[in-house]
Amino acid sequence: MSTSHIYIPESAMAIVAHPDDIEFSCVGTLARWAKAGARIAYVLCTSGDVGIAEDGMTRQKAAEIREAETRAAAEIAGAKEVVFLREPDGMLQATLELRKKIVREIRRFRPEVVICGDPTIVWAGDGYINHPDHRAAATATLDAVFPAAGQPNLFEELAAEGLTAHKVRKVYCTAFGNGDTYVSIDETIDVKAAALKAHKSQMGDWDAEKNIKQWAAERAKGKEMRYAEIFRVVTLENDEEWEKWKGRVVGRK
Ligand SMILES: [Zn+2]
């Protein structure tokens, strides 16, 4: 069943493959949470280094440009932290090594909510194939969230860095049409457009503002909102369990 809701977590970490993935899929929700006081962090598995097709462009230069654009977009949305894992763009794989890198970030930031993609999405309409990097990032993230991040005896070497087990309360998987949770981004649609436009190298003469508003309006159709982002939400720790768990981490850095 579809629900419109105003759940505000204390903290959220969005974990994606490329610069601009967050802006296309979930920044309206993140900006709304940030406005309400949530701590927000981004983790980018790649720096989008093959994403600028210009004469003379190198991967190194493209990564620098795109990381700067990502930082600017994060600032617009109110995200305090951006982490770049710098895996190779276009060749991302859901390896155990990537899972461990993501577990490290989760144990460090200790988010209440993790937002990621949906690894099962291959098709969406008849003009799109979901990027393999998106699927790899989504698989590695879900596998990092559950159960790895919360298991003290898995990747226990991270404890030497002071990073002990952390259980994520909820996972928000960004959805196309198959979600169960509609978040109104009426208040933050302009932030979403501005954050997307910060990815200048990707915009060309594409009208970001017009298109993003149109898509968000289509997603809101039939709901009590003008603009929406859609998620499939999984609650891993119910209220009581979360309170107990939260209690255990109080006092930790
Ligand atoms: Zn992407």
Side-chain angles (χ1 to χ4, degrees), residues 141-225:
T141 302
L142 290 182
D143 294 351
V145 166
F146 188 85
Q151 291 184 308
N153 293 327
L154 185 60
F155 300 135
E156 68 272 29
E157 62 274 28
L158 294 176
E161 299 172 32
L163 305 176
T164 51
H166 174 71
K167 289 187 181 177
V168 171
R169 184 182 192 183
K170 286 174 187 281
V171 179
Y172 274 56
C173 275
T174 54
F176 283 77
N178 59 343
D180 50 31
T181 301
Y182 288 68
V183 177
S184 164
I185 56 164
D186 294 7
E187 287 170 33
T188 52
I189 186 71
D190 292 325
V191 176
K192 184 175 172 100
L196 187 58
K197 282 194 279 188
H199 293 278
K200 290 193 188 98
S201 68
Q202 305 300 301
M203 295 297 117
D205 49 16
W206 187 69
D207 191 336
E209 179 138 7
K210 191 178 142 216
N211 282 292
I212 211 72
K213 285 188 173 172
Q214 194 183 316
W215 293 344
E218 280 165 15
R219 282 167 192 189
K221 235 175 226 159
K223 303 285 176 294
E224 286 171 4
M225 54 189 84

Side-chain angles (χ1 to χ4, degrees), residues 17-21 131 134:
H18 308 123
D20 83 15
D21 290 352
H131 196 298
H134 295 167

Side-chain angles (χ1 to χ4, degrees), residues 5-131:
H5 72 137
I6 51 157
Y7 166 69
I8 310 279
E10 179 271 322
S11 56
M13 173 172 262
I15 305 170
V16 297
H18 308 123
D20 83 15
D21 290 352
I22 286 172
E23 288 70 28
F24 274 110
S25 61
C26 60
V27 76
T29 300
L30 290 168
R32 201 175 158 191
W33 289 349
K35 258 171 104 177
R39 285 187 301 131
I40 306 292
Y42 295 178
V43 175
L44 285 279
C45 294
T46 83
S47 295
D49 44 286
V50 297
I52 305 179
E54 273 172 25
D55 284 347
M57 182 56 65
T58 63
R59 286 186 178 195
Q60 169 78 30
K61 231 198 285 178
E64 282 167 20
I65 291 168
R66 301 201 68 190
E67 288 186 6
E69 291 173 348
T70 301
R71 288 199 182 91
E75 200 171 318
I76 290 167
K80 293 279 179 279
E81 230 189 280
V82 186
V83 176
F84 298 100
L85 300 182
R86 300 193 173 112
E87 298 288 319
D89 183 14
M91 297 190 284
L92 192 65
Q93 290 198 305
T95 59
L96 281 172
E97 196 196 344
L98 180 60
R99 190 190 301 178
K100 183 176 163 183
K101 285 182 181 178
I102 294 172
V103 165
R104 175 182 280 119
E105 297 311 319
I106 291 171
R107 288 185 183 174
R108 187 183 54 73
F109 191 73
R110 312 187 87 74
E112 179 171 332
V113 170
V114 165
I115 295 192
C116 62
D118 177 344
T120 68
I121 293 177
V122 180
W123 320 108
D126 58 8
Y128 182 78
I129 297 172
N130 194 18
H131 196 298

